[in-house]
Amino acid sequence: MLIGEFRHNLDPKGRITIPSKFRDDLSVFVMTKGLDNCLFLYPKDQWEKIEDKLKELPMTNKAVRSFVRTFFSGAVDCVLDKQGRVLIAENLRDYASLEDKCVIIGLSNRAEVWSEDNWNKYNEEEALSYEELAEKMSELGI
């Protein structure tokens, strides 16, 4: 299971070290554009589940076509090197504003990579308080 928050730096070649705690799940994975200007990292089995669900959506719907294009066109198959690093493609680094300091968070079935600035901004400005989030989750039956 992918859980936790870890801070790492991009090296000059655009590589990031994946936390050792995540390496079993992310030894082979797919990286793509996420939401809120982060990157999503999906273990291969989770990627295949999402891919199957997206294949079922109606391509006659313009929003579906746009989402699927963005989601799949930014996707990259990834394999960790011997040091547990992965190269982040330049287009994905640009999308997520990744330059130096990054935050990698685990979200159970996927991980996200954020620029440290975007992560801090998200937590300060956009995120509801933990209590408000819990209340909204209870409205969903969780």
Side-chain angles (χ1 to χ4, degrees), residues 28-71:
V28 177
F29 63 97
V30 176
M31 181 184 305
T32 192
K33 295 175 182 176
L35 304 174
D36 303 312
N37 289 88
C38 72
L39 302 179
F40 288 169
L41 312 180
Y42 287 101
K44 251 332 197 190
D45 64 327
Q46 292 299 317
W47 175 259
E48 290 167 1
K49 289 178 185 178
I50 289 174
E51 184 178 22
D52 288 343
K53 287 180 182 179
L54 291 175
K55 285 180 190 176
E56 299 299 318
L57 297 175
M59 287 297 125
T60 54
N61 182 307
K62 185 176 181 172
V64 168
R65 289 192 311 271
S66 294
F67 179 81
V68 168
R69 284 181 186 127
T70 300
F71 194 69

Side-chain angles (χ1 to χ4, degrees), residues 68-134:
V68 168
R69 284 181 186 127
T70 300
F71 194 69
F72 284 106
S73 68
V76 178
D77 286 313
C78 298
V79 178
L80 298 180
D81 68 13
K82 292 178 183 176
Q83 287 80 36
R85 299 173 302 188
V86 65
L87 176 66
I88 300 177
E90 185 175 359
N91 66 315
L92 294 177
R93 289 194 312 263
D94 291 344
Y95 171 80
S97 304
L98 301 176
E99 294 176 6
D100 183 31
K101 296 180 180 188
C102 301
V103 179
I104 302 172
I105 61 171
L107 298 167
S108 182
N109 66 343
R110 77 170 188 271
E112 293 180 349
V113 178
W114 291 74
S115 75
E116 187 176 67
D117 290 342
N118 284 350
W119 178 245
N120 291 339
K121 184 177 179 181
Y122 173 81
N123 281 301
E124 291 168 7
E125 297 174 4
E126 297 182 35
L128 299 171
S129 76
Y130 193 56
E131 290 78 15
E132 290 170 320
L133 288 171

Side-chain angles (χ1 to χ4, degrees), residues 8-19:
H8 290 274
N9 292 328
L10 280 179
D11 72 12
K13 294 181 181 180
R15 296 175 299 193
I16 192 167
T17 301
I18 298 299

